[in-house]
């Protein structure tokens, strides 16, 4: 009987170095197939960067590029001197982090739970119901949230009153400190099922032999989740986390915009709303662009930072 | 994602404009037009539209507003892709600033005798700093002014309250809230649901329904954020946001809020919820401009006629004389414009000239004689009950009749013509009372009036009127200040009303401190413009 070759050994077989042109010729079909996507990325992701020049002008539409007034870093100075800026930064980061943490945790937990359900009909139904809200536009969803939280017969207040937890209806949307958490909770409600899909797919690809072996070793259900399922989908979790880091400063517009009101404005204004109110709505395109650049640069730093940390911790990484 | 949709939008605009301005095979001209109101697409054929198309040989390719006008205007200007004709509400001047509109003076002089004649009274007001006219305001009042059934604004009160109290005339804020409070005590629920004493609308830009009130309590009509006050023969722009009247108003709302008369939700509800509550018939009072509650009033007239709203010119103190009604004015700062993209400006101005003449206006607003209206022996137009009923159906009026497709966004005439007919059927003097519904007539009879406007004093004429049609230059220091001031109002007004009564003074002091430094630049711009208008109009 031959001794089986363990996979570990395969990894150590050195890949012979081939000249560049030979590789190119060999993979030309693959390369050709990717050309449209490269063009797409160049047109939609790189060409618009030219628009960043707006941030250093006092841009006025209708004038040609050479007739614009150049103002250097004035727009950035204005931004950093604006007292609202720090409030906006705080709100954006806080709401993004809440959404990121609770959104991911709830999606992972939901995926684990759905995965453990045996009844196929129930499994399918639960999954469908949980991801349906994802397809509702925020315009509709915000009105649902408003109605649910209403003091005038809203279901949340009615329920709490019936359960004698509260005596008077609480005006949830009118409490500034609560706004971040309402955003977080409604985000979880809307996106939990959708987010779980990718984790379910990852769980499905876990080798069933591992579970069988664990059962033989006497591992219970929770142990199997903890020692097999979670470690197996860890690379996916890390990659999604890194990718989401890039969205920390661009989180949300519709949700905050549609749920906010004057009472909570100090906690509701995020970068996108700030850009709209103090930029585009006032025809200050240059200022809006400056804010956009700030966001892009910080996002880039965050993504690379997260990637670096993942690398140092020996985890899967994006780049 | 955002960039992609932006691109698609640009593409759309491009294809729309690229196919525009073509002369089709049958010899009909096609003009593309962007209209800053939200209407469903033109159905293709309507009674009014077909006549206009036949008589002018002009076919319009319409693009109606979808979503936010500010964003749309920004996109159009930034991309430079323009339709032939456009209306853009109070953003119209931005197109002029970008050099995208053509001056109309010569065109009107040579090709548009009707425009010249009917806009003659307003012509000087329309001239920009360079002496050119770039747009035709949506409404011209060539002859005498007319009067609507409902005044422009007021403290509205539920008919049930008035009826039970024996039709009192309400003059002051205290009387108004006293009536509401008494009724609320007797009727804690209406139709099984909790009675709502008072609602004040605070949803995003519509929050002027709350913040504008102090000026009206002082007796002024709607001037906007500031009021020009006549001092030694000159109109001096003054602020009212920190006035004693404002303080008394917010204090009253605060008191009523803590008593449970003002709805707890009033500052967090959006416009849809507001209309929904108003049309449920259980709201006793609200302040607003009539157009903002019209939808609810129409629902009430149909479904719950005993709960309709009746307006009163409420002031803070009985000694204040009110002039809350609008003096006739046109919105000189906005209108329909011809863009530089238009290949046939002469054709376009001729089309507008055809639209504005009296015959066409009566067609658009009244319909066809003998079918949609009748004429009595004095030459006055009227509609029979059957004809009235036809026009009460908004969908028929829009999709089959088609008048609305040539109305709100196109230049049209208002007022009474030389024969004593109003261009607007709703405002035909003899019809205001006659065409009112029984429930409205009951109120009018009780107060001995023929129109709700008669509860108000006639408006006071002011040459510059109104202040709010002055546009502050985009991105200027005054503009930034204005946005900041609105932010302060947004943040502090709910606090003022919702704080505990013993905390009110402190919040008021904070509010005054926050808002006071945010008015100087705006007042400067408004003052300059008011002075200019007084001199040149």
């Amino acid at each position: 009987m031959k001794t089986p070759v363990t996979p570990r050994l395969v990894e150590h077989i050195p890949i012979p170095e081939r000249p560049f042109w030979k590789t190119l010729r060999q993979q030309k079909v693959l390369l050709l197939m990717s050309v449209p996507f490269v063009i797409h990325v160049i047109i939609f992701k790189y060409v618009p960067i030219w628009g960043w020049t707006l941030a250093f002008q006092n841009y006025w539409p209708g004038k040609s590029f050479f007739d614009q007034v150049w103002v250097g870093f004035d727009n950035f100075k204005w931004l950093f001197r604006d007292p609202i800026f720090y409030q906006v930064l705080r709100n954006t980061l806080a709401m993004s982090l809440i959404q990121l943490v609770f959104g991911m945790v709830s999606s992972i937990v939901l995926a684990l739970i759905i995965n453990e359900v045996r009844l196929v009909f129930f499994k399918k139904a639960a999954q469908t119901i949980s991801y349906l809200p994802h397809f509702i536009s925020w315009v509709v969803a915000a009105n649902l949230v408003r109605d649910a939280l209403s003091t005038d017969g809203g279901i949340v207040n009615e329920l709490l009153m019936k359960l004698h937890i509260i005596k008077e209806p609480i005006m949830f949307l009118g409490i500034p400190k609560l706004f971040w958490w309402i955003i977080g909770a409604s985000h979880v409600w809307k996106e939990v099922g959708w987010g779980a899909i990718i984790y379910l797919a990852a769980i499905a690809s876990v080798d069933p032999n591992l579970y069988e072996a664990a059962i033989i070793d006497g591992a219970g259900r929770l142990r199997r989740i903890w020692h097999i399922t979670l470690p197996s989908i860890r690379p996916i979790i890390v990659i999604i986390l890194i990718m989401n880091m890039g969205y920390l400063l661009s989180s949300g517009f519709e949700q905050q915009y549609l749920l906010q009101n004057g009472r909570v404005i100090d906690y509701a204004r995020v970068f996108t709303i700030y850009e709209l109110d103090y930029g585009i709505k006032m025809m200050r395109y240059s200022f809006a662009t400056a804010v956009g650049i700030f966001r892009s640069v910080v996002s880039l730093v965050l993504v690379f930072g997260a990637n670096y940390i993942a690398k140092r911790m020996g985890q899967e990484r994006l780049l | 994602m955002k960039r992609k949709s932006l691109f698609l939008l640009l593409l759309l605009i491009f294809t729309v404009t690229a196919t525009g301005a073509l002369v089709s095979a049958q010899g009909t001209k096609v003009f593309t037009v962007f209209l800053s109101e939200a209407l469903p697409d033109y159905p293709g054929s309507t009674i009014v539209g077909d006549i206009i198309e036949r008589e002018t040989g002009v076919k319009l390719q319409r693009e109606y507003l979808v979503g936010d006008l500010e964003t749309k205007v920004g996109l159009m200007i930034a991309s430079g892709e323009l339709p032939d004709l456009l209306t853009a509400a109070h953003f119209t001047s931005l197109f002029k600033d970008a050099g995208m509109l053509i001056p109309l003076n010569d065109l009107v002089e040579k090709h548009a005798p009707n425009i010249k004649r009917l806009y003659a009274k307003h012509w000087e007001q329309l001239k920009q700093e360079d002496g050119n006219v770039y747009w035709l305001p949506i409404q011209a009042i060539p002859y005498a002014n007319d009067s609507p059934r409902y005044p422009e604004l007021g403290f509205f009160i539920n008919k049930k309250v008035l009826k039970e109290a024996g039709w009192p005339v309400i003059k002051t804020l205290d009387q108004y809230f006293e009536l509401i409070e008494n009724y609320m005590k007797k009727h804690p629920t209406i139709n099984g649901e909790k009675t709502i004493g008072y609602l004040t609308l605070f949803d995003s830009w519509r929050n002027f329904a709350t913040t504008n009130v102090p000026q009206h309590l002082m007796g002024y009509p709607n001037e906007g954020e500031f009021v020009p006050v006549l001092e030694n023969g000159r109109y001096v722009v003054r602020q009212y946001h920190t006035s004693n009247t404002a303080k008394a108003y917010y204090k009253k709302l605060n008191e009523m809020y803590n008593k449970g008369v003002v709805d707890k939700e009033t500052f967090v509800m959006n416009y849809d919820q507001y209309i929904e509550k108003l049309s449920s018939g259980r709201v006793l009072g609200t302040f607003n401009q009539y157009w903002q509650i019209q939808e609810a009033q129409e629902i009430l007239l149909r479904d719950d006629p005993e709960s309709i709203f009746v307006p009163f010119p409420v002031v803070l103190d009985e000694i204040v004389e009110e002039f809350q009604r609008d003096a006739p004015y046109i919105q000189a700062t906005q209108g329909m414009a011809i863009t530089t993209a238009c290949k046939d400006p002469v054709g376009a101005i001729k089309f507008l000239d055809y639209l504005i003449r009296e015959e066409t206006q009566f067609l658009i607003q009244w319909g066809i004689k003998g079918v949609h209206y009748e004429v009595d022996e004095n030459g006055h137009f009227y509609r029979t009950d059957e004809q009235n009923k036809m026009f009460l159906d908004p969908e028929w009026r829009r999709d089959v009749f088609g008048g609305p497709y040539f109305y709100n966004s196109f230049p049209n005439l208002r007022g009474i013509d030389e024969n004593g007919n109003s261009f607007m059927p709703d405002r035909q003097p003899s019809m205001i009372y006659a065409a009112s519904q029984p429930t409205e007539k009951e109120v009018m009879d009780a107060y001995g009036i023929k129109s709700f406007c008669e509860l108000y004093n006639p408006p006071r004429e002011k040459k510059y009127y109104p202040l709010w049609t002055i546009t502050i230059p985009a991105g200027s220091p005054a503009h930034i200040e204005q946005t900041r001031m609105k932010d302060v109002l947004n943040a502090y007004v709910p606090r003022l009303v919702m704080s505990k009564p013993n905390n009110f003074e402190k919040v008021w002091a904070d509010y005054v401190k926050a808002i006071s430094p945010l008015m100087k630049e705006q007042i400067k711009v408004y003052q300059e413009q008011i002075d200019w208008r007084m001199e040149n109009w």
Side-chain angles (χ1 to χ4, degrees):
Chain A
M1 211 171 132
K2 277 188 207 162
T3 42
V5 181
T6 58
R8 194 163 297 242
L9 279 175
V10 179
E11 273 176 27
H12 285 283
I13 297 171
I15 302 162
E17 286 210 15
R18 277 180 297 190
F20 174 74
W21 292 108
K22 204 172 170 189
T23 324
L24 190 72
R25 210 168 41 240
Q26 261 178 355
Q27 300 180 350
K28 65 172 184 284
V29 179
L30 281 175
L31 284 169
L32 271 176
M33 274 160 69
S34 63
V35 162
F37 301 102
V38 174
I39 292 175
H40 174 269
V41 167
I42 289 174
I43 291 180
F44 288 102
K45 300 288 174 194
Y46 284 91
V47 174
I49 292 180
W50 171 248
W52 280 15
T53 51
L54 251 69
F56 307 98
Q57 307 168 342
N58 192 358
Y59 177 76
W60 193 249
K63 279 204 236 167
S64 84
F65 181 75
F66 300 100
D67 294 339
Q68 302 290 353
V69 182
W70 294 85
V71 295
F73 284 92
D74 279 7
N75 287 312
F76 292 93
K77 280 185 202 149
W78 202 93
L79 173 67
F80 296 126
R81 278 189 199 143
D82 189 0
I84 301 175
F85 166 73
Y86 297 95
Q87 197 189 61
V88 171
L89 187 65
R90 176 199 67 184
N91 293 343
T92 312
L93 281 174
M95 278 186 264
S96 298
L97 280 173
I98 289 173
Q99 286 185 347
L100 183 64
V101 172
F102 288 90
M104 280 187 75
V105 170
S106 62
S107 287
I108 293 167
V109 170
L110 181 75
L112 292 174
I113 293 172
I114 287 180
N115 185 53
E116 295 298 321
V117 172
R118 290 281 147 77
L119 215 63
V120 176
F121 171 74
F122 183 77
K123 194 170 169 172
K124 288 249 159 83
Q127 205 185 337
T128 310
I129 290 170
S130 68
Y131 77 60
L132 266 184
H134 170 79
F135 296 101
I136 309 175
S137 112
W138 263 117
V139 179
V140 178
N143 271 328
L144 290 178
V145 173
R146 277 172 178 280
D147 276 349
L149 296 178
S150 165
T151 51
D152 187 21
I155 187 165
V156 177
N157 272 312
E158 294 281 303
L159 194 74
L160 291 175
M161 291 211 325
K162 290 262 158 65
L163 293 173
H164 297 288
I165 295 173
I166 53 171
K167 280 203 189 77
E168 284 259 293
I170 298 174
M171 197 169 53
F172 293 104
L173 280 170
I175 303 169
K177 294 252 158 71
L178 220 56
F179 188 78
W180 293 349
W181 302 102
I182 290 172
I183 289 292
S186 52
H187 172 80
V188 167
W189 163 70
K190 198 165 176 292
E191 303 297 336
V192 62
W194 185 254
I197 290 176
I198 194 158
Y199 300 113
L200 273 172
I203 291 171
S205 64
V206 177
D207 187 356
N209 289 334
L210 292 172
Y211 290 110
E212 280 165 29
I215 292 173
I216 291 167
D217 288 346
R221 207 171 251 214
L222 286 177
R223 293 226 149 244
R224 291 199 304 264
I225 292 176
W226 187 253
H227 289 292
I228 297 174
T229 316
L230 275 177
S232 305
I233 62 171
R234 193 170 57 198
I236 297 282
I237 297 177
V238 172
I239 282 182
I240 288 183
L241 187 70
I242 295 173
M243 274 165 50
N244 279 336
M245 292 301 280
Y247 293 114
L248 271 189
L249 282 192
S250 40
S251 105
F253 166 65
E254 290 149 302
Q255 197 186 357
Q256 284 88 344
Y257 193 72
L258 293 164
L259 284 172
Q260 69 173 359
N261 57 67
R263 186 81 186 87
V264 297
I265 188 93
D266 289 350
Y267 287 83
R269 197 189 277 115
V270 289
F271 268 113
T272 37
I273 296 177
Y274 179 66
E275 271 169 54
L276 185 71
D277 282 350
Y278 279 87
I280 294 165
K281 274 192 180 178
M282 300 172 75
M283 300 273 152
R284 294 164 78 209
Y285 298 111
S286 292
F287 178 67
T289 312
V291 182
I293 292 176
F294 170 77
R295 283 202 289 142
S296 299
V297 170
V298 175
S299 299
L300 217 59
V301 170
L302 285 173
V303 170
F304 277 104
N307 195 58
Y308 177 76
I309 292 171
K311 188 175 161 188
R312 290 297 294 269
M313 285 166 61
Q315 296 291 341
E316 206 64 33
R317 55 187 206 272
L318 197 62
L319 303 160
Chain B
M1 197 51 224
K2 225 161 133 200
R3 288 229 171 86
K4 253 189 272 177
S5 51
L6 203 91
F7 180 77
L8 278 178
L9 233 138
L10 290 178
L11 206 75
L12 205 83
I13 297 167
F14 178 74
T15 45
V16 166
T17 46
T19 48
L22 297 171
V23 180
S24 73
Q26 295 89 358
T28 54
K29 283 181 189 157
V30 177
F31 288 109
T32 53
V33 54
F34 170 75
L35 304 155
S36 59
E37 65 175 325
L39 270 186
D41 281 332
Y42 184 64
S45 165
T46 59
I47 297 171
V48 168
D50 290 352
I51 296 175
I52 293 175
E53 210 177 303
R54 201 171 59 232
E55 292 189 355
T56 59
V58 166
K59 214 177 157 80
L60 292 176
Q61 218 167 71
R62 298 149 185 266
E63 190 196 348
Y64 282 101
L65 176 65
V66 179
D68 190 30
L69 180 61
E70 274 167 315
T71 320
K72 173 77 194 169
V73 166
L75 265 175
M76 276 169 41
I77 292 179
S79 70
E81 299 293 349
L82 297 168
D84 298 329
L85 297 162
L86 61 83
T87 57
H90 50 293
F91 301 111
T92 317
S93 63
L94 293 173
F95 288 96
K96 187 209 77 186
D97 295 345
M100 291 170 161
L101 303 181
I102 60 170
L104 304 178
N105 311 36
D106 287 352
L107 282 172
V108 167
E109 190 66 39
K110 280 187 202 137
H111 306 284
N114 292 313
I115 293 178
K116 195 182 164 193
R117 177 170 58 86
L118 295 162
Y119 278 94
K121 239 170 78 181
H122 312 305
W123 201 250
E124 285 306 309
Q125 296 184 23
L126 303 182
K127 284 190 179 158
Q128 303 302 309
E129 284 109 53
D130 59 2
N132 285 328
V133 172
Y134 290 93
W135 52 77
L136 299 172
I138 296 310
Q139 287 188 326
I141 312 171
Y143 310 109
N145 194 31
D146 56 11
S147 208
R149 179 175 295 138
Y150 287 93
E152 295 81 7
L153 55 89
F155 273 85
F156 287 84
I157 191 161
N158 197 308
K159 182 187 165 191
K160 286 180 289 202
V161 183
L162 294 173
K163 202 172 186 177
E164 198 172 280
W167 310 109
V169 173
I170 306 170
K171 283 214 174 109
T172 68
L173 198 62
D174 288 333
Q175 294 168 1
Y176 177 80
F177 276 111
E178 201 186 311
L179 277 174
I180 287 174
E181 243 189 301
N182 289 341
Y183 188 89
M184 232 182 138
K185 268 183 208 144
K186 267 192 246 165
H187 307 273
T189 60
I190 291 175
N191 305 331
E193 282 188 282
K194 231 181 104 200
T195 307
I196 297 172
Y198 185 79
L199 269 188
T200 189
L201 179 62
F202 206 68
D203 180 20
S204 63
W205 59 273
R206 294 180 194 266
N207 66 6
F208 61 78
T210 303
T211 58
N212 265 1
V213 175
Q215 65 180 321
H216 306 314
L217 291 174
M218 297 174 184
Y220 290 102
N222 177 26
E223 294 275 12
E225 298 290 343
F226 297 87
V227 280
V229 180
L230 196 57
E231 288 173 9
N232 302 326
R234 176 175 181 239
Y235 282 103
V236 180
V237 177
R238 299 271 181 225
Q239 62 92 8
Y240 57 82
H241 284 304
T242 66
S243 62
N244 289 334
T245 310
K247 191 174 176 185
Y249 161 65
Y250 291 124
K251 204 173 161 94
K252 189 80 194 170
L253 286 187
N254 177 282
E255 180 196 331
M256 289 299 141
Y257 181 86
N258 285 299
K259 276 188 183 170
V261 173
V262 174
D263 189 27
K264 291 267 175 254
E265 263 195 330
T266 202
F267 286 105
V268 298
M269 71 183 169
N270 61 17
Y271 184 62
D272 294 338
Q273 288 172 306
Y274 176 71
I275 290 296
E276 192 188 310
K277 284 188 187 207
L278 287 187
S279 36
S280 72
R282 63 199 173 99
V283 177
L284 302 183
T286 185
F287 171 88
N288 221 326
Q289 297 184 10
Y290 182 65
W291 64 272
Q292 291 224 87
I293 68 158
Q294 192 168 359
E295 196 184 336
Q297 181 83 335
E298 274 163 15
I299 295 171
L300 287 171
L301 277 168
R302 197 183 62 211
D303 299 340
D304 189 1
E306 283 309 299
S307 301
I308 58 163
F309 287 102
V310 181
F312 279 95
V314 171
V315 288
L316 189 68
D317 194 298
E318 223 153 324
I319 57 162
V320 176
E321 202 182 352
E322 64 86 9
F323 296 97
Q324 294 180 359
R325 298 266 335 269
D326 273 341
Y329 69 94
I330 55 153
Q331 293 192 353
T333 47
Q334 49 181 281
M336 176 155 271
I338 303 177
T339 70
T340 47
C342 182
K343 301 236 164 58
D344 181 11
V346 174
I349 202 80
K350 278 188 172 159
F351 176 67
L352 295 179
D353 191 57
Y354 165 86
L355 279 185
I356 198 74
R357 58 176 202 170
E358 286 96 332
E359 298 95 303
T360 322
Q361 284 302 310
F362 282 124
L363 170 72
I364 291 168
Q365 303 192 44
W366 282 86
I368 301 165
K369 185 175 152 187
V371 183
H372 301 117
Y373 70 94
E374 310 291 334
V375 184
D376 70 8
E377 63 275 14
N378 301 324
H380 286 171
F381 298 174
Y382 68 97
R383 280 191 182 137
T384 62
D385 286 346
E386 223 147 275
Q387 286 164 342
N388 262 329
K389 216 177 240 161
M390 225 158 35
F391 281 86
L392 274 182
D393 177 359
E395 266 150 45
W396 177 87
R397 200 168 60 199
R398 190 187 66 207
D399 298 336
V400 181
F401 180 65
Y405 279 108
F406 294 90
Y407 189 61
N408 273 334
S409 287
F410 290 91
N412 58 67
L413 299 179
R414 211 183 87 190
I416 313 270
D417 82 344
E418 286 161 316
N419 304 319
N421 285 312
S422 169
F423 290 104
M424 288 163 87
D426 290 354
R427 300 186 176 197
Q428 181 76 337
S430 61
M431 292 235 323
I432 288 183
Y433 180 78
S436 294
Q437 308 220 6
T439 176
E440 293 171 315
K441 281 184 184 165
E442 191 190 346
V443 182
M444 289 184 194
D445 291 345
Y447 286 100
I449 50 175
K450 295 285 177 213
S451 151
F452 291 110
C453 288
E454 289 174 30
L455 291 167
Y456 289 60
N457 286 333
R460 202 188 252 166
E461 301 258 355
K462 293 176 227 171
K463 214 160 126 191
Y464 70 85
Y465 188 77
L467 174 131
W468 66 265
T469 55
I470 294 170
T471 12
I472 288 184
S476 64
H479 198 193
I480 294 167
E481 195 190 75
Q482 186 184 40
T483 307
R484 291 221 196 279
M485 186 181 87
K486 284 184 177 166
D487 275 350
V488 170
L489 285 169
N490 239 328
Y492 274 93
V493 168
R495 263 178 238 173
L496 283 169
V497 178
M498 288 157 70
S499 63
K500 292 270 164 293
N502 54 19
N503 206 16
F504 179 83
E505 290 295 331
K506 197 192 158 292
V507 183
W508 176 260
D510 289 347
Y511 160 76
V512 171
K513 216 172 112 195
I515 202 168
S516 296
L518 297 173
M519 302 177 178
K520 215 179 89 207
E521 298 289 330
Q522 295 174 77
I523 289 177
K524 218 166 83 190
V525 173
Y526 283 129
Q527 188 65 58
E528 267 168 28
Q529 288 292 317
I530 294 283
D531 290 345
W532 186 85
R533 283 181 176 187
M534 289 307 289
E535 208 168 288
N536 293 291
W537 280 17

